[in-house]
């Protein structure tokens, strides 16, 4: 998921440099959404790891 956020971020920068402002804004919002989703899932998994959920005894 982080890989896709980085890809959309790069596409957004390239589109912005080339003057495609609408495409740049769209891909930037997708990249931002994917990044925040990645952060939330990562935090949830870290908390579950500390709690020991899913560990086999």
């Amino acid at each position: 998921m982080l890989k896709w956020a980085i890809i959309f971020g790069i596409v957004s920068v390239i589109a912005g440099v080339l003057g495609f402002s609408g495409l740049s804004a769209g891909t930037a919002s997708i990249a931002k959404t994917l990044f925040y989703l990645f952060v939330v899932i990562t935090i949830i998994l870290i908390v579950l790891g500390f709690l020991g959920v899913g560990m086999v005894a």
Side-chain angles (χ1 to χ4, degrees):
M1 187 173 316
L2 183 60
K3 179 175 75 170
W4 283 106
I6 293 170
I7 290 171
F8 275 106
I10 291 170
V11 169
S12 175
V13 169
I14 292 171
V17 167
L18 295 177
F20 298 106
S21 60
L23 180 66
S24 178
T27 55
S29 66
I30 293 171
K32 190 186 313 183
T33 303
L34 287 174
F35 177 74
Y36 289 136
L37 188 61
F38 167 77
V39 169
V40 167
I41 290 173
T42 302
I43 291 171
I44 290 171
L45 290 176
I46 288 172
V47 168
L48 289 176
F50 281 129
L51 294 176
V53 176
M55 298 185 76
V56 178

